[in-house]
């Protein structure tokens, strides 16, 4: 059995933030989220996080247990507290990770656990890194690790060592339980260092196994907002690369902002300055961007979304959106819908083939197949107190600059004249015009009031 302890109680002073460090986001997810995902990916099913007050209040959202460390007395103290909260299991192993290392992938955790073989007490990830560095130094005697020395306690000779302790370990649980009881805090920071367990094990003739990690960028912790931005760039690059390898064209990954857990179909092309977030799903052969934001958007195949914002909405196949459209709040567009310039749609359902091409607001509306919404149409859905629905049938022609005063229903095949203020229901097939709109005589195709903009 392998369990994990994630150290995350540090306040992260250098972030200069009211928010605890591991809750700061990298590509739309808290740093801690990535660490927990990597541990799960490495096959570790049970994780406990050492928290501070703020993190403790939110830890349940991550689907893991937390244990509160009131006072941050050091990494050794943090691990001791976590072990006290875990029932001892004979023969179990424990991985210790840091909550501020979102770039470490599951392979690092797999490697460190795989190295803890036979009678080894401990394995740890070591990494060569350019100097100067704040990481603890790996002090070796011959080939073997002797101890780890923290920067604040190191001699000049030790500071010249370029092999670092990454801060990722696996332990034989019983040995770790013994060792943390023996830790002292007689050092420059007056902290209980987890890293002192190395010298402790070595002094007792126990085996400590180093595992070299070849890319130090994967095990960099994030301590300030400069490092946060660097991590975001690295993560975004990985996300873009993954989608490009899966058949998505990203014209410029440096200015395309992705998050984990997105679905993007083959042969979709993403133009610059586009951000795609939350659980967005995009089909095949779409064109997205430039200058577009999709957040929790579900988009079918062969859809074009240019210079537009789509949040919490669904778009069918072969639809065209933008430029400069805003779809939001559970809007649903069926196949072949065309939404054009400066159109805002909120919580509305547009059936197949509906067109709203220019300067329109549709809110709380349901619109039937193939209806055309003229330029400048506004659903007046808010009466100052309530949001009211507008129901428009199939094949309806709404003339330019119509104000549709909700609640309102307009029947199939009906039409409104340009500039109408429609405040009473319109039966199927009827044509209305004026302020307020009144029925026009039937079969009067010559009426210039009905001219719309195509
Ligand atoms: C630690 C290691 C160092 C290693 C580096 C890698 C120790 C003593 N040193 O140094 O050898 O190179 O990580 O990043 O372990 N934390 C708690 N409770 C505490 C103290 C820390 O939860 O009482 C957490 C922090 O939130 C952080 C992690 O433990 O996530 C590391 O602690 P930090 O104080 O940053 O240790 P470093 O000085 O970075
Ligand atoms: Ca640190």
């Amino acid at each position: 059995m392998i369990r994990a302890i994630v150290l995350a109680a540090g306040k992260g002073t250098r972030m200069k933030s009211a928010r605890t460090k591991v809750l700061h986001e990298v590509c739309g997810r808290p740093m801690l989220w990535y660490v927990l995902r990597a541990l799960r990916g490495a096959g570790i099913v049970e994780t406990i996080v050492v928290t501070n007050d703020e993190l403790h209040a939110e830890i349940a959202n991550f689907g893991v247990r937390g244990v509160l460390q009131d006072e941050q007395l050091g990494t050794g103290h943090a691990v001791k507290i976590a072990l006290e909260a875990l029932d001892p299991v004979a023969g179990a192993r424990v991985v210790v990770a840091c909550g501020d290392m979102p770039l470490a992938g599951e392979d690092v955790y797999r490697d460190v656990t795989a190295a803890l073989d036979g009678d080894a007490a401990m394995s740890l990830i070591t990494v060569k890194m350019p100097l100067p560095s704040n990481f603890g130094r790996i002090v070796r005697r011959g080939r073997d690790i002797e101890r780890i020395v923290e920067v604040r306690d190191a001699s000049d000779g030790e500071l010249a060592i370029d092999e670092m302790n990454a801060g990722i370990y696996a332990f034989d649980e019983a040995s770790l339980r013994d060792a943390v009881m023996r830790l002292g805090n007689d050092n420059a920071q007056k902290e209980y260092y987890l890293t002192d367990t190395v010298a402790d094990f070595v002094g007792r003739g126990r085996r400590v196994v180093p595992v070299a990690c070849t890319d130090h960028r994967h095990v960099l912790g994030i301590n300030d907002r400069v490092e946060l931005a660097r991590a975001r760039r690295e993560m975004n690059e990985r996300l873009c690369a993954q989608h490009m390898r899966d058949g998505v064209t990203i014209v410029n990954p440096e200015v395309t902002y992705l998050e984990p857990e997105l679905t993007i179909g083959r042969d979709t092309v993403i133009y610059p300055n586009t951000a795609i977030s939350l659980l967005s799903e995009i089909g095949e052969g779409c064109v997205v961007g430039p200058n577009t934001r999709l957040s929790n958007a579900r988009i079918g195949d062969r859809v074009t979304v240019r210079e537009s914002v789509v949040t919490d909405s669904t778009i069918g196949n072969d639809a065209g959106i933008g430029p400069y459209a805003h779809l939001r709040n559970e809007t649903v567009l069926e196949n072949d819908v065309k939404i054009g310039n400066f159109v805002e749609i909120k919580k509305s359902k547009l059936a197949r083939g509906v067109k709203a091409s220019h300067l329109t607001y549709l809110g709380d509306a349901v619109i039937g197949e193939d209806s055309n919404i003229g330029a400048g149409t506004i659903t007046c859905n808010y009466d100052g107190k309530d949001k009211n629905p507008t129901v428009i049938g199939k094949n309806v022609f709404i003339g330019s600059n119509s104000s549709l005063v909700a609640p309102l229903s307009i029947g199939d095949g009906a039409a409104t004249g340009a500039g109408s203020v429609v405040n009473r229901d319109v039966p199927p097939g009827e044509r209305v015009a004026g302020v307020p709109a009144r029925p026009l005589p039937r079969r009067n195709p010559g009426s210039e009031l009905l001219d719309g903009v195509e």
Side-chain angles (χ1 to χ4, degrees):
M1 179 198 205
I2 308 175
R3 292 182 285 192
I5 297 171
V6 176
L7 307 182
K11 292 184 192 75
T13 330
R14 280 173 283 168
M15 294 299 283
K16 306 231 168 96
S17 173
R19 199 147 173 70
T20 202
K21 182 166 76 174
V22 299
L23 295 177
H24 280 259
E25 292 187 353
V26 172
C27 299
R29 300 289 185 284
M31 293 181 206
L32 179 61
W33 182 91
Y34 292 95
V35 177
L36 297 174
R37 180 178 68 163
L39 289 167
R40 273 195 304 273
I44 298 168
V45 289
E46 190 183 343
T47 294
I48 188 164
V49 178
V50 182
T51 61
N52 56 30
D53 288 329
E54 192 196 351
L55 181 58
H56 208 67
E58 298 191 29
I59 197 67
N61 301 336
F62 290 90
V64 292
R65 274 176 78 191
V67 56
L68 184 64
Q69 187 189 24
D70 283 320
E71 252 189 306
Q72 277 87 61
L73 300 178
T75 48
H77 178 251
V79 165
K80 182 164 170 277
I81 283 184
L83 287 171
E84 283 164 8
L86 294 173
D87 293 329
V89 174
R93 293 178 289 173
V94 179
V95 167
V96 176
C98 292
D100 63 357
M101 285 189 188
L103 296 175
E106 57 186 60
D107 46 331
V108 176
Y109 299 109
R110 251 199 223 109
D111 292 349
V112 82
T113 34
L116 188 72
D117 57 345
D119 58 350
M122 170 183 190
S123 59
L124 71 162
I125 302 289
T126 74
V127 65
K128 296 267 186 187
M129 201 177 277
L131 296 175
S133 160
N134 289 323
F135 278 57
R137 305 299 203 264
I138 304 285
V139 181
R140 293 192 182 242
R141 188 166 32 192
R143 286 252 211 87
D144 296 333
I145 291 195
E146 187 178 73
R147 62 197 165 91
I148 294 172
V149 61
E150 294 304 305
V151 166
R152 299 269 296 275
D153 304 294
S155 66
D156 288 348
E158 288 163 342
L159 286 176
I161 298 173
D162 69 348
E163 188 186 15
M164 311 300 175
N165 168 35
I168 295 171
Y169 323 87
F171 293 92
D172 167 58
E173 188 186 308
S175 307
L176 178 61
R177 283 183 189 272
D178 288 346
V180 291
M181 298 310 289
R182 294 190 291 265
L183 291 176
N185 65 349
D186 183 16
N187 53 53
Q189 304 184 75
K190 295 279 167 277
E191 285 185 5
Y192 295 89
Y193 291 162
L194 179 62
T195 45
D196 283 349
T197 54
V198 172
D200 180 85
F201 287 136
V202 171
R204 287 161 185 272
R206 299 293 309 278
R207 209 151 53 82
V208 173
V209 189
V211 183
C213 162
T214 47
D215 192 341
H216 74 273
R217 288 171 308 175
H218 292 187
V219 291
L220 288 181
I222 295 174
N223 293 300
D224 61 26
R225 299 190 200 228
V226 176
E227 291 168 351
L228 183 68
R230 259 185 223 136
R232 192 209 62 74
R233 196 166 67 186
E234 164 72 21
M235 184 61 73
N236 193 60
E237 208 174 296
R238 288 187 200 174
L239 293 166
C240 287
Q242 179 210 318
H243 287 289
M244 291 189 286
R245 292 205 179 91
D246 289 343
V248 177
T249 294
I250 298 180
V251 173
N252 185 351
E254 278 172 39
V255 289
T256 300
Y257 307 92
L258 301 185
E259 294 189 357
E261 303 182 290
L262 299 173
T263 307
I264 309 177
R266 282 187 181 197
D267 292 317
T268 284
V269 181
I270 302 176
Y271 284 95
N273 300 321
T274 291
I276 307 177
S277 63
L278 298 178
L279 301 178
S280 292
E281 289 173 25
I282 301 169
E284 299 187 356
C286 294
V287 173
V288 178
N291 307 321
T292 290
R293 184 154 59 85
L294 306 180
S295 175
N296 195 24
R298 287 157 304 279
I299 295 179
D301 298 330
R302 300 173 302 278
V303 173
T304 298
V305 185
R306 290 188 197 277
E307 271 119 347
S308 291
V309 175
V310 180
T311 57
D312 305 312
S313 294
T314 303
I315 301 173
N317 298 331
D318 301 294
I321 313 297
Y324 316 113
H326 184 191
L327 313 183
R328 61 186 178 96
N329 201 337
E330 294 164 44
T331 283
V332 177
L333 309 185
E334 291 183 354
N335 297 346
D336 302 310
V337 166
K338 296 284 181 277
I339 302 301
N341 317 252
F342 304 104
V343 174
E344 177 183 359
I345 308 187
K346 177 230 138 186
K347 208 172 189 170
S348 294
K349 184 160 192 260
L350 277 54
R352 194 187 51 72
V354 169
K355 289 195 184 105
S357 300
H358 326 269
L359 300 159
T360 284
Y361 172 65
L362 301 172
D364 306 295
V366 177
I367 303 179
E369 284 180 17
D370 294 320
S371 287
N372 188 81
I373 310 299
T377 296
I378 304 290
T379 53
C380 310
N381 62 329
Y382 184 51
D383 57 17
K385 232 174 90 212
D386 296 313
K387 302 285 170 64
N388 299 301
T390 300
V391 179
I392 298 175
K394 299 179 192 171
N395 294 303
V396 171
F397 180 91
I398 303 293
S400 293
N401 203 27
S402 290
S403 298
L404 308 178
V405 182
L408 185 69
S409 147
I410 299 180
D412 292 348
T416 70
S420 303
V421 174
V422 186
N423 58 2
R424 266 183 287 178
D425 288 354
V426 181
E430 184 147 278
R431 306 181 321 142
V432 300
V435 181
R438 297 181 201 285
L440 295 175
R442 297 217 170 202
R443 307 191 183 290
N444 182 10
S447 172
E448 68 280 9
L449 284 174
L450 286 175
D451 285 349
V453 176
E454 246 307 299

